[in-house]
Amino acid sequence: MNRVHEKQKSDQQFTTEDGVPFFKTGLPHGQVSFSGGRVAANMAEHGGLTRIIYFGGQHLGAVEFFNVSDVLSGWHKLYRLFIVIDGKMFFPTFSNTLIYPHGYTSESTLDNAKFKHSMTLLNDTIVLSCEVLRNPGNKKIQLKLVNNDGCNQIAKAGREWKERRFDRKLNTLTQKVIDSAPPKNKADDEALAQKAVGCPNETDKAVTTIGVSSVSKLSCYMTPDVFKKTYLETEPFKKNSSFHILFAPESSFNKRLLELKRNLENECRKLESDFQTRLKDQPVTSVGDKIVESLFAICGPVIDSMKVKDLPGGMRAADSGYWIWGWDSMVHSDAIMLWGDHQFVQDMLKFYRDTATPSHGIAHAFTTTCKPFMAMAPAAQTLYCVMLYNHFLYTGDRNILQEYYSFSEKILERALKDAVGDSGLYGGVSLYPDYPEHLEQDGQDISVFNNGILYQALRCMAALSTQLGLKEKAACFEEKATRLKKAFILHFFDKKKGFFVDSLSAKDFSKRYHYPSYAILWLTPFAGELLDGVAKQVARFMRDNFKRSRGFSMLPKWDSRFMWDGNQLGMYMPVVERFYWQAQKQAGVKVNTDWWFSHIAWFWNQLTIPEALCCEAENEGIALDNLGRKQAFCAKAWYSIFIHAMAGIEFQLGSPEITVSPMASREISITNLKFRGKKLNIMIPNGKKSRGRKIILNGKKLSK
């Protein structure tokens, strides 16, 4: 790989190498998160691990195994790697460091010897490696791994840590952790949007085995008393050596350990190859800001790092937390198509079809053993229909469309059964926010959020039905969409405020007077049809009431339920942000789009793609709520906003297939964007410097 380190502003932490964050010296401030799939880890700026989570067979409340009490302290030594030179222990230092979603590579010069060291997270294993680059004097080189056992272990109700032991035959330090499920939380049973779907307990009992091994023969020493430490040391090596820390269910641990003994190097090599292939195959963006360009380059690999490799189509919701959630995965599936990962969307189509139940349909959340755990309102499940539409829109693959159309139709028909009389609207508790009862929903609800999703699903399924020659079905879905659109504006729109209310009572259609920034989850251009005749009012309300110094609040500050839950209702949630920008664009309002590029750069400069940010203070932005976390639905939302709103690129099944109407005024270049087997290169000139922006598509001026 050719190293091209662009000069950055003084307040930026890193430069980039082909979009990958690069640190000449040291590490990111605070901490950074990494994910391999089922296993994830945080690392502090001093180079030590601070937290390890693993999703095996245990209940969801028991995924955290290690967490230090002070991320700034170097005392804890959670699986801390040392390089031993002629018997002297050294911390690896960090120079020329590349930070990937799945680990890092770095260089150290210690005692006149030079090393390359790295951490790689596989689906279930953390690999710590070291390669000797220069060793004048042929000094004796070894690796040592130190763990301050008891101080870092997470104790939980129902958890039992067994004694660690070193198995010489396996050349492995092993420790078993037994997790028994606690009693169910009654509050969860009573929550409207978070109800369990028939699992009395997620997993009654699970045994996880943690094993630390190496390609080298190991020696082991354990301190005998008080603060127990374990020291593992390799034999001397000339070229390279490593440790690997495996997390696995007890039943499959020995088999997996043997696989790693045979294939560890190949698995690490394949991970690196897949990463490089993703960078090569995905679009390359130029926006005049290397931090933002790095963010867009890393969005796809971030999603890759959260994929559960043994469950095709399964993806965790964040690198440092959360298991598989239905809407987190399915929402903004267009972004995944845009960066070219068509296979994963296909895998999700299969995953959510195969895990659906006759009684509840597509699950909202899953247990670690992949059983449906929480239900989702039928209207919200039609995110699946939008996902199928996106796959066909971007690929034109009729075989996949035909394979999943019937299931998609069933999901849509399930939602249509919740019609509220002949109103054109559909009932059901809102998918969002987490606790819709905080906005006065009571189980007899008509949700603006759900109906907005369902409208787009109806339009998508009508278009797909037409493609398959199913004219009657297409006409039926179009008719229902037309009625829903009319009722949507009639009932949800508050003329006095100029915006939509969160919900209606299904009993008498009375409005619940709360005004959410997520009223329309903007997934497709069809969402814009719900603003017909009210776009300017909606855009004005959003500018006046949601914009904060750092993002957009869920509710206006004057809303009686702002920060009602002490959390989500007073936060900025990027997953629903696209509505704001598309509404301004549709209303023809010129807003400061440079602010948005600076805004997302502020987060990525701290290697964070946030789930949320508290936005109570007028000068919010002093610190992040969860430093280093990368949230899947935010990565997808920001990518969608960039392509569809800022660059203004839209695709449709009709003619013309591609339209470009940029919202951002800056110069934008996007190359290698794929649509139906075609490679698109789009050049959008700076709108501040030219009156008529001549947009170039594959070397030719694009007709308006």
Side-chain angles (χ1 to χ4, degrees):
M1 183 189 293
N2 294 324
R3 291 191 171 180
V4 182
H5 307 303
E6 302 288 345
K7 187 176 181 180
Q8 305 293 311
K9 297 177 182 178
S10 60
D11 62 343
Q12 293 176 337
Q13 281 203 66
F14 60 86
T15 57
T16 62
E17 179 180 301
D18 292 346
V20 180
F22 173 87
F23 293 78
K24 187 65 178 176
T25 57
L27 285 169
H29 301 323
Q31 67 177 8
V32 63
S33 302
F34 303 98
S35 176
R38 288 184 177 270
V39 72
N42 289 359
M43 186 174 72
E45 61 185 72
H46 52 62
L49 296 178
T50 58
R51 182 173 182 258
I52 300 175
I53 59 174
Y54 167 70
F55 296 82
Q58 75 277 38
H59 66 93
L60 289 168
V63 301
E64 187 177 51
F65 286 87
F66 300 99
N67 196 341
V68 307
S69 59
D70 182 358
V71 299
L72 297 179
S73 170
W75 178 79
H76 297 274
K77 295 179 177 58
L78 172 57
Y79 293 122
R80 192 69 191 262
L81 184 71
F82 292 86
I83 298 173
V84 183
I85 305 173
D86 284 343
K88 296 179 290 184
M89 288 172 58
F90 293 86
F91 287 111
T93 55
F94 288 80
S95 299
N96 298 328
T97 303
L98 288 164
I99 301 290
Y100 305 98
H102 57 268
Y104 76 83
T105 61
S106 190
E107 294 176 354
S108 289
T109 300
L110 304 165
D111 204 20
N112 207 31
K114 188 174 182 180
F115 306 91
K116 178 180 179 180
H117 59 96
S118 64
M119 179 172 72
T120 302
L121 272 65
L122 303 174
N123 191 44
D124 53 7
T125 305
I126 300 171
V127 184
L128 300 169
S129 303
C130 182
E131 177 185 357
V132 180
L133 300 179
R134 185 182 70 237
N135 183 16
N138 198 27
K139 297 172 182 177
K140 185 173 75 171
I141 308 297
Q142 297 167 273
L143 293 183
K144 183 173 286 189
L145 195 69
V146 181
N147 192 44
N148 204 340
D149 295 276
C151 300
N152 300 324
Q153 294 173 354
I154 295 297
K156 289 182 174 290
R159 169 169 285 179
E160 179 185 1
W161 285 87
K162 293 294 186 180
E163 286 296 317
R164 64 214 153 120
R165 68 184 187 89
F166 184 68
D167 187 319
R168 296 187 183 279
K169 185 176 180 181
L170 290 177
N171 191 43
T172 302
L173 176 74
T174 63
Q175 187 167 26
K176 289 182 169 55
V177 185
I178 303 171
D179 283 300
S180 300
K184 285 184 67 178
N185 187 341
K186 186 179 179 182
D188 285 343
D189 279 342
E190 296 173 350
L192 289 176
Q194 312 248 353
K195 289 182 178 178
V197 296
C199 299
N201 286 310
E202 302 168 55
T203 304
D204 289 333
K205 183 179 179 181
V207 182
T208 303
T209 302
I210 304 170
V212 186
S213 193
S214 175
V215 294
S216 167
K217 184 177 179 181
L218 296 175
S219 61
C220 178
Y221 170 71
M222 301 179 188
T223 59
D225 201 4
V226 191
F227 295 108
K228 295 183 178 180
K229 281 186 178 180
T230 300
Y231 295 81
L232 293 171
E233 191 168 45
T234 69
E235 293 180 319
F237 62 95
K238 298 290 186 183
K239 186 169 179 57
N240 52 57
S241 191
S242 66
F243 290 100
H244 50 273
I245 308 160
L246 167 65
F247 292 76
E250 181 184 36
S251 59
S252 59
F253 176 81
N254 285 350
K255 179 183 177 182
R256 179 61 177 142
L257 190 68
L258 183 60
E259 287 177 356
L260 290 172
K261 183 178 180 180
R262 294 171 176 169
N263 299 316
L264 179 63
E265 187 176 342
N266 289 336
E267 288 191 30
C268 291
R269 191 180 296 118
K270 183 179 185 304
L271 180 61
E272 174 60 19
S273 175
D274 289 346
F275 175 80
Q276 296 300 336
T277 299
R278 170 75 65 231
L279 291 186
K280 179 182 176 182
D281 289 349
Q282 70 184 8
V284 177
T285 64
S286 176
V287 296
D289 186 318
K290 293 298 175 183
I291 298 296
V292 174
E293 291 162 11
S294 169
L295 169 62
F296 293 149
I298 293 298
C299 279
V302 161
I303 299 299
D304 290 341
S305 76
M306 299 180 205
K307 294 175 184 175
V308 183
K309 309 307 186 288
D310 56 305
L311 293 174
M315 175 187 73
R316 291 197 301 107
D319 59 359
S320 61
Y322 296 123
W323 182 230
I324 300 171
W325 287 77
W327 98 283
D328 293 64
S329 299
M330 293 189 292
V331 73
H332 302 308
S333 56
D334 59 308
I336 302 175
M337 299 301 295
L338 285 163
W339 62 63
D341 195 0
H342 303 165
Q343 181 61 51
F344 185 60
V345 174
Q346 182 179 330
D347 289 342
M348 284 199 290
L349 289 167
K350 184 177 190 302
F351 177 86
Y352 286 100
R353 181 194 65 183
D354 294 352
T355 56
T357 64
S359 59
H360 292 86
I362 294 173
H364 185 39
F366 295 84
T367 67
T368 55
T369 53
C370 214
K371 295 176 182 177
F373 181 54
M374 292 181 184
M376 189 190 308
Q381 293 181 33
T382 62
L383 285 167
Y384 186 95
C385 306
V386 178
M387 184 165 65
L388 179 60
Y389 174 84
N390 279 328
H391 189 277
F392 182 73
L393 174 64
Y394 288 95
T395 65
D397 192 328
R398 297 182 68 84
N399 291 331
I400 297 300
L401 173 58
Q402 290 170 335
E403 181 176 353
Y404 295 102
Y405 177 87
S406 62
F407 176 72
S408 188
E409 184 185 14
K410 287 178 183 178
I411 292 299
L412 183 57
E413 293 292 351
R414 175 190 290 272
L416 295 177
K417 290 178 182 178
D418 288 336
V420 184
D422 61 356
S423 68
L425 296 174
Y426 298 84
V429 65
S430 185
L431 169 68
Y432 199 68
D434 290 346
Y435 296 95
E437 55 266 45
H438 293 160
L439 299 179
E440 301 184 75
Q441 294 192 35
D442 58 11
Q444 298 293 321
D445 312 295
I446 307 172
S447 158
V448 69
F449 188 78
N450 289 3
N451 276 269
I453 295 171
L454 181 55
Y455 175 78
Q456 294 173 80
L458 282 165
R459 294 285 278 118
C460 287
M461 287 298 288
L464 294 178
S465 299
T466 298
Q467 291 293 317
L468 293 176
L470 304 172
K471 296 181 180 179
E472 289 185 5
K473 287 184 179 180
C476 176
F477 295 146
E478 283 288 8
E479 186 271 335
K480 292 183 184 300
T482 299
R483 295 183 69 238
L484 197 162
K485 173 187 171 183
K486 181 179 179 181
F488 190 94
I489 297 173
L490 174 65
H491 292 290
F492 288 119
F493 190 71
D494 181 344
K495 294 181 181 179
K496 184 177 179 181
K497 294 290 187 184
F499 198 68
F500 303 102
V501 296
D502 176 74
S503 68
L504 313 170
S505 169
K507 297 176 182 177
D508 59 9
F509 284 78
S510 59
K511 291 179 172 66
R512 281 78 175 258
Y513 289 100
H514 306 291
Y515 304 89
S517 61
Y518 54 82
I520 297 175
L521 181 62
W522 201 292
L523 303 166
T524 67
F526 300 132
E529 296 166 357
L530 295 175
L531 297 184
D532 284 355
V534 298
K536 291 187 181 299
Q537 293 166 271
V538 167
R540 184 185 307 113
F541 183 94
M542 298 188 85
R543 291 195 307 278
D544 293 345
N545 294 283
F546 297 132
K547 182 73 167 59
R548 300 284 172 255
S549 62
R550 188 60 66 194
F552 307 89
S553 60
M554 292 273 278
L555 297 168
K557 280 195 170 182
W558 47 259
D559 193 297
S560 64
R561 297 304 170 98
F562 178 83
M563 197 53 89
W564 185 268
D565 58 352
N567 183 44
Q568 193 179 43
L569 295 181
M571 304 193 91
Y572 157 56
M573 304 288 294
V575 66
V576 294
E577 180 183 353
R578 187 176 167 190
F579 179 27
Y580 177 88
W581 295 105
Q582 296 279 184
Q584 307 308 314
K585 186 172 186 288
Q586 185 161 327
V589 179
K590 289 187 177 181
V591 291
N592 182 8
T593 55
D594 285 343
W595 173 89
W596 183 75
F597 288 96
S598 174
H599 168 69
I600 63 175
W602 180 78
F603 285 98
W604 187 237
N605 191 42
Q606 301 172 80
L607 298 185
T608 300
I609 304 176
E611 175 185 12
L613 183 73
C614 186
C615 57
E616 286 183 288
E618 295 303 315
N619 61 342
E620 202 68 60
I622 294 173
L624 290 161
D625 289 355
N626 199 332
L627 181 62
R629 166 168 284 187
K630 294 175 284 296
Q631 193 84 11
F633 60 32
C634 176
K636 293 185 290 178
W638 279 351
Y639 203 88
S640 289
I641 290 169
F642 169 62
I643 295 292
H644 298 304
M646 299 302 162
I649 304 169
E650 291 290 3
F651 303 89
Q652 61 181 11
L653 293 178
S655 180
E657 289 184 328
I658 304 166
T659 59
V660 184
S661 177
M663 184 180 190
S665 57
R666 66 176 57 199
E667 181 177 301
I668 295 174
S669 170
I670 304 170
T671 60
N672 201 34
L673 182 65
K674 297 182 178 69
F675 178 72
R676 296 200 160 202
K678 305 172 187 174
K679 289 185 179 180
L680 308 178
N681 300 318
I682 300 173
M683 176 64 188
I684 302 171
N686 190 321
K688 296 176 182 177
K689 296 180 179 180
S690 57
R691 293 181 181 179
R693 302 179 81 176
K694 297 180 180 178
I695 297 165
I696 306 301
L697 172 61
N698 288 351
K700 297 180 180 179
K701 181 182 176 182
L702 187 66
S703 299
K704 292 187 178 181

